[in-house]
Amino acid sequence: MKNLVQDHLSQTFSALADPTRRAILAQLAKGEASVSDIAKPFLKDMSLPGLTKHLKVLEKAGLITKTREKQWRPCKLNGAALKDAANWMEQYRAFWEESFDRLEEYLKTMAPKVKSKGKKNDRKKK
Amino acid sequence: MKNLVQDHLSQTFSALADPTRRAILAQLAKGEASVSDIAKPFLKDMSLPGLTKHLKVLEKAGLITKTREKQWRPCKLNGAALKDAANWMEQYRAFWEESFDRLEEYLKTMAPKVKSKGKKNDRKKK
DNA sequence: CAGTTAATTAACTAATTGGTTAATTATAGA
DNA sequence: TCTATAATTAACCAATTAGTTAATTAACTG
């Protein structure tokens, strides 16, 4: 009953949050492929309609585009759709590089008891 | 009835696939904060237990760590948990950079009708 | 101890997700 | 036209997600 439509970034990340879908993207990174080409490696684990649903998720997220070629539906990777997600992650790069040393060191220089808690919430101490 | 445990990357991406959780990370990027500090901007839209659940998702994904400080639970961002996701995305960088020009150009040099379809699936043409 | 603040847990619910099988549509080819 | 292949749609189901309210745990404070 809430938030019927996902924002763009959420849609991208949740499309990526599935190993089957990431595998599909990996395959398409090697070139266009039809639905049944894509499906082939998965058909031991999953039905074709199951796979079709995954493709639909990827398509709605803009990560792939499906075209028509006779009775086939060649899909291709649309890497541009990863741009925003990648930019979002980029903001945090500093937190997985060098942050270990620098941030840890910084925290150790602080009084070990007063690290957080208040900051903007110290009211009522009188 | 399947796949009871998510793989690491899926867990990371699905943790990121929610605007509330991304906002929490953004706030923690500015420094440690207690649960109620974090909650404050969201309490007009969501109950505290609702927020606690989001924190639990982030914690399980390793994106934050919760410690204890008297009756508070200071949380801090664990940027290292984004590393694998960022590396995964990195594989596709070529597809959102330069790919527009180069790949489009490449595709246009091909015969416009024979783009895909077969490749490993051309059987039965005799 | 009584009261207050911080946070979590429990129990419930509606919507979404990820899968299925069966049926249907679309195209090609003999 | 009949048949085979390609793919989607429909209808259904179980599990998960994201939220709620109410109750509970934990720690401090006067």
Side-chain angles (χ1 to χ4, degrees):
Chain A
M1 210 179 260
K2 220 165 193 186
N3 225 354
L4 289 107
V5 189
Q6 264 185 321
D7 63 289
H8 170 57
L9 218 42
S10 298
Q11 206 174 6
T12 306
F13 281 130
S14 61
L16 298 179
D18 181 285
T20 302
R21 290 194 292 262
R22 291 194 304 277
I24 292 170
L25 295 180
Q27 190 179 344
L28 291 179
K30 297 185 280 179
E32 277 193 27
S34 70
V35 172
S36 43
D37 283 346
I38 296 169
K40 215 164 301 163
F42 300 104
L43 291 180
K44 33 182 159 39
D45 307 313
M46 186 179 315
S47 67
L48 185 60
L51 198 109
T52 292
K53 283 195 174 187
H54 282 301
L55 289 177
K56 194 153 290 178
V57 171
L58 291 169
E59 200 180 10
K60 276 195 191 155
L63 288 159
I64 67 171
T65 52
K66 224 178 297 185
T67 54
R68 305 182 74 122
E69 184 75 35
K70 299 181 179 174
Q71 71 266 56
W72 291 275
R73 300 289 177 275
C75 302
K76 82 175 173 190
L77 180 62
N78 177 21
L82 287 170
K83 217 170 180 175
D84 287 346
N87 286 342
W88 183 90
M89 304 224 68
E90 206 54 40
Q91 302 181 279
Y92 293 92
R93 174 177 290 281
F95 288 89
W96 73 79
E97 284 176 355
E98 60 107 33
S99 61
F100 276 118
D101 320 304
R102 257 210 244 288
L103 203 132
E104 284 302 329
E105 188 186 13
Y106 168 70
L107 288 174
K108 264 159 203 148
T109 63
M110 303 174 72
K113 268 305 168 134
V114 210
K115 277 187 300 204
S116 160
K117 170 192 63 185
K119 209 193 257 169
K120 37 162 76 164
N121 202 11
D122 268 338
R123 76 268 123 99
K124 231 169 251 176
K125 261 316 181 27
K126 221 216 293 83
Chain B
M1 210 177 260
K2 221 165 193 188
N3 225 352
L4 290 108
V5 188
Q6 263 184 323
D7 62 288
H8 170 57
L9 217 42
S10 298
Q11 205 173 7
T12 305
F13 281 130
S14 62
L16 298 179
D18 182 286
T20 302
R21 290 194 292 262
R22 290 194 305 275
I24 292 170
L25 295 180
Q27 189 178 344
L28 291 179
K30 297 185 281 179
E32 276 194 26
S34 69
V35 172
S36 43
D37 283 345
I38 296 170
K40 215 164 300 162
F42 301 103
L43 291 180
K44 31 183 159 43
D45 305 313
M46 187 180 314
S47 67
L48 185 59
L51 198 109
T52 293
K53 284 194 174 187
H54 281 302
L55 289 176
K56 194 152 292 179
V57 171
L58 291 168
E59 201 181 9
K60 275 193 191 157
L63 287 160
I64 67 171
T65 52
K66 222 178 298 184
T67 54
R68 306 181 74 122
E69 185 74 36
K70 299 180 179 172
Q71 71 265 57
W72 291 277
R73 301 287 177 275
C75 301
K76 84 174 170 189
L77 179 62
N78 178 20
L82 287 171
K83 218 170 179 175
D84 287 345
N87 286 341
W88 183 90
M89 305 223 69
E90 206 54 39
Q91 302 182 278
Y92 293 91
R93 174 176 292 280
F95 288 89
W96 73 79
E97 283 175 356
E98 60 107 31
S99 60
F100 277 118
D101 320 305
R102 255 207 246 288
L103 203 131
E104 284 302 330
E105 188 186 12
Y106 168 70
L107 288 175
K108 262 159 206 147
T109 63
M110 303 175 73
K113 269 302 169 138
V114 210
K115 278 189 298 203
S116 161
K117 170 195 60 185
K119 208 191 261 169
K120 38 163 79 165
N121 204 11
D122 267 340
R123 76 267 121 99
K124 232 168 251 176
K125 263 311 180 31
K126 219 213 297 81

